[in-house]
Amino acid sequence: MQDLPSFDELRAMAEQAPDELEALRLSMSEEIISNASAEMQPRLRAQMSHINQVIAKGKNPNHTNILLMAELQVQLKRFAQALNAPETLTEHQAKIMPFSRPSERQEVLPQQREE
């Protein structure tokens, strides 16, 4: 497993070679996922994909950090919910609406509309 550079080295990379820092982030993430159990790898890859999507939404480094912090808070809230009230994770209420086939709908053509 590769070693994480010092904070000062990471800061210098962020300022002078952001693409290199991004490559390091991706390679270290991939290494961690590859070393995880086979059962956890799909979940970790999905989480990594989600993190990458959040990062892509960031307009600048500060905005990206704010988005990542908000996402972390959502995840921590869900984790606390799983620990404290696991039954609430499966409680969903949704309005179920049946699909109707086009032949069942009566479409009003423009010439049939009343004016």
Side-chain angles (χ1 to χ4, degrees), residues 4-17 21 24 28:
L4 185 65
S6 71
F7 175 81
D8 291 331
E9 291 173 298
L10 291 171
R11 184 182 66 204
M13 286 174 77
E15 292 170 350
Q16 299 164 7
L21 180 61
L24 176 66
M28 291 188 82

Short mmCIF file of all heavy atoms in Angstrom, two decimals, residues 4-17 21 24 28:
data_model
loop_
_atom_site.label_atom_id
_atom_site.label_comp_id
_atom_site.label_asym_id
_atom_site.label_seq_id
_atom_site.Cartn_x
_atom_site.Cartn_y
_atom_site.Cartn_z
N LEU A 4 0.75 7.85 2.16
CA LEU A 4 0.20 9.18 1.90
C LEU A 4 1.30 10.21 2.12
O LEU A 4 1.97 10.19 3.15
CB LEU A 4 -0.98 9.45 2.84
CG LEU A 4 -1.76 10.73 2.64
CD1 LEU A 4 -2.46 10.70 1.28
CD2 LEU A 4 -2.79 10.89 3.74
N PRO A 5 1.52 11.10 1.16
CA PRO A 5 2.54 12.16 1.36
C PRO A 5 2.16 13.04 2.56
O PRO A 5 1.02 13.06 3.01
CB PRO A 5 2.48 12.95 0.06
CG PRO A 5 1.86 12.04 -0.94
CD PRO A 5 0.92 11.17 -0.16
N SER A 6 3.14 13.79 3.02
CA SER A 6 2.90 14.70 4.16
C SER A 6 1.90 15.78 3.75
O SER A 6 1.66 16.02 2.56
CB SER A 6 4.22 15.35 4.59
OG SER A 6 4.64 16.28 3.61
N PHE A 7 1.36 16.46 4.75
CA PHE A 7 0.40 17.53 4.49
C PHE A 7 1.02 18.61 3.60
O PHE A 7 0.38 19.09 2.66
CB PHE A 7 -0.08 18.15 5.81
CG PHE A 7 -0.97 19.33 5.60
CD1 PHE A 7 -2.32 19.16 5.30
CD2 PHE A 7 -0.47 20.63 5.68
CE1 PHE A 7 -3.14 20.25 5.08
CE2 PHE A 7 -1.29 21.73 5.46
CZ PHE A 7 -2.63 21.53 5.17
N ASP A 8 2.27 18.97 3.89
CA ASP A 8 2.93 20.01 3.10
C ASP A 8 3.10 19.58 1.65
O ASP A 8 2.93 20.39 0.73
CB ASP A 8 4.28 20.38 3.72
CG ASP A 8 4.13 21.10 5.05
OD1 ASP A 8 3.10 21.79 5.24
OD2 ASP A 8 5.04 20.98 5.91
N GLU A 9 3.42 18.31 1.44
CA GLU A 9 3.55 17.80 0.06
C GLU A 9 2.19 17.81 -0.64
O GLU A 9 2.10 18.17 -1.82
CB GLU A 9 4.13 16.40 0.06
CG GLU A 9 5.59 16.33 0.49
CD GLU A 9 6.07 14.91 0.65
OE1 GLU A 9 5.52 14.19 1.50
OE2 GLU A 9 7.00 14.52 -0.09
N LEU A 10 1.15 17.42 0.06
CA LEU A 10 -0.20 17.42 -0.52
C LEU A 10 -0.63 18.84 -0.87
O LEU A 10 -1.22 19.07 -1.92
CB LEU A 10 -1.20 16.76 0.42
CG LEU A 10 -1.03 15.26 0.62
CD1 LEU A 10 -1.94 14.77 1.75
CD2 LEU A 10 -1.32 14.51 -0.67
N ARG A 11 -0.32 19.78 0.02
CA ARG A 11 -0.68 21.18 -0.24
C ARG A 11 0.06 21.70 -1.47
O ARG A 11 -0.53 22.37 -2.33
CB ARG A 11 -0.39 22.05 0.97
CG ARG A 11 -0.85 23.50 0.77
CD ARG A 11 -0.54 24.38 1.92
NE ARG A 11 0.92 24.48 2.01
CZ ARG A 11 1.59 24.79 3.12
NH1 ARG A 11 0.93 25.01 4.24
NH2 ARG A 11 2.89 24.86 3.13
N ALA A 12 1.33 21.36 -1.58
CA ALA A 12 2.11 21.79 -2.74
C ALA A 12 1.55 21.18 -4.01
O ALA A 12 1.46 21.85 -5.05
CB ALA A 12 3.58 21.42 -2.55
N MET A 13 1.15 19.92 -3.95
CA MET A 13 0.55 19.27 -5.11
C MET A 13 -0.75 19.97 -5.50
O MET A 13 -1.02 20.18 -6.68
CB MET A 13 0.27 17.78 -4.83
CG MET A 13 1.50 16.91 -4.82
SD MET A 13 1.12 15.22 -4.32
CE MET A 13 0.40 14.59 -5.81
N ALA A 14 -1.56 20.31 -4.50
CA ALA A 14 -2.83 20.98 -4.77
C ALA A 14 -2.61 22.32 -5.46
O ALA A 14 -3.37 22.70 -6.35
CB ALA A 14 -3.61 21.17 -3.47
N GLU A 15 -1.57 23.03 -5.07
CA GLU A 15 -1.30 24.35 -5.64
C GLU A 15 -0.60 24.27 -6.99
O GLU A 15 -0.88 25.06 -7.88
CB GLU A 15 -0.45 25.16 -4.66
CG GLU A 15 -1.19 25.53 -3.39
CD GLU A 15 -0.28 26.13 -2.33
OE1 GLU A 15 0.97 26.09 -2.49
OE2 GLU A 15 -0.81 26.62 -1.32
N GLN A 16 0.33 23.31 -7.15
CA GLN A 16 1.18 23.29 -8.33
C GLN A 16 0.84 22.19 -9.34
O GLN A 16 1.13 22.34 -10.52
CB GLN A 16 2.65 23.14 -7.89
CG GLN A 16 3.11 24.28 -7.02
CD GLN A 16 4.39 23.97 -6.27
OE1 GLN A 16 5.01 22.94 -6.50
NE2 GLN A 16 4.77 24.85 -5.36
N ALA A 17 0.26 21.10 -8.86
CA ALA A 17 -0.03 19.97 -9.76
C ALA A 17 -1.35 19.29 -9.35
O ALA A 17 -1.35 18.15 -8.88
CB ALA A 17 1.12 18.97 -9.72
N LEU A 21 -2.39 15.38 -7.97
CA LEU A 21 -3.08 15.11 -6.71
C LEU A 21 -4.34 14.28 -6.95
O LEU A 21 -4.63 13.33 -6.21
CB LEU A 21 -3.43 16.41 -6.00
CG LEU A 21 -4.17 16.29 -4.67
CD1 LEU A 21 -3.33 15.53 -3.65
CD2 LEU A 21 -4.53 17.67 -4.14
N LEU A 24 -3.38 10.74 -7.60
CA LEU A 24 -3.03 10.09 -6.34
C LEU A 24 -4.29 9.68 -5.59
O LEU A 24 -4.38 8.56 -5.07
CB LEU A 24 -2.17 11.02 -5.49
CG LEU A 24 -1.80 10.51 -4.09
CD1 LEU A 24 -0.89 9.28 -4.20
CD2 LEU A 24 -1.13 11.61 -3.28
N MET A 28 -5.04 5.75 -4.88
CA MET A 28 -5.12 5.27 -3.49
C MET A 28 -6.52 4.73 -3.18
O MET A 28 -6.65 3.73 -2.49
CB MET A 28 -4.72 6.37 -2.51
CG MET A 28 -3.24 6.72 -2.58
SD MET A 28 -2.72 7.85 -1.29
CE MET A 28 -2.48 6.69 0.06
#
